[in-house]
Amino acid sequence: MPSTIHIFVNSEPIPATPETTVAAALLNAGITTFRHSPQGEPRAPLCGMGICMECRATIDGLPSQRTCQTLCRDGMQIHLEVTPA
């Protein structure tokens, strides 16, 4: 298994470690806002165990996936409602 893989966040490559959660990979890359609430407030992982649903993103075309419960795979496509810095 390679020591580094790449996931794509809004089409931008982000290095990740295999078997790391998507939420951890995004946070390690400095991405701290994953989506916005209906009122426009920034949202990101809160509980880290799949209960709060604040970390949702579209992963490989499937909307509302919990990034804290999804493991990274090489080439995975993640779409956030916000543009990564």
Side-chain angles (χ1 to χ4, degrees), residues 2-83:
S3 59
T4 301
I5 60 174
H6 285 88
I7 61 176
F8 294 85
V9 180
N10 294 356
S11 301
E12 294 295 322
I14 302 289
T17 305
E19 304 301 315
T20 299
T21 66
V22 172
L26 297 178
L27 291 168
N28 285 339
I31 300 169
T32 58
T33 300
F34 290 23
R35 64 184 192 85
H36 289 96
S37 72
Q39 293 77 29
E41 297 172 342
R43 295 291 190 230
L46 179 65
C47 73
M49 57 188 183
I51 295 172
C52 72
M53 303 294 283
E54 295 295 340
C55 67
R56 291 173 291 162
T58 299
I59 300 176
D60 290 334
L62 298 171
S64 298
Q65 300 301 297
R66 292 173 291 179
T67 63
C68 71
Q69 298 294 297
T70 304
L71 298 179
C72 292
R73 294 181 315 278
D74 195 35
M76 178 180 270
Q77 300 287 325
I78 296 124
H79 177 74
L80 303 177
E81 293 178 6
V82 296
T83 304

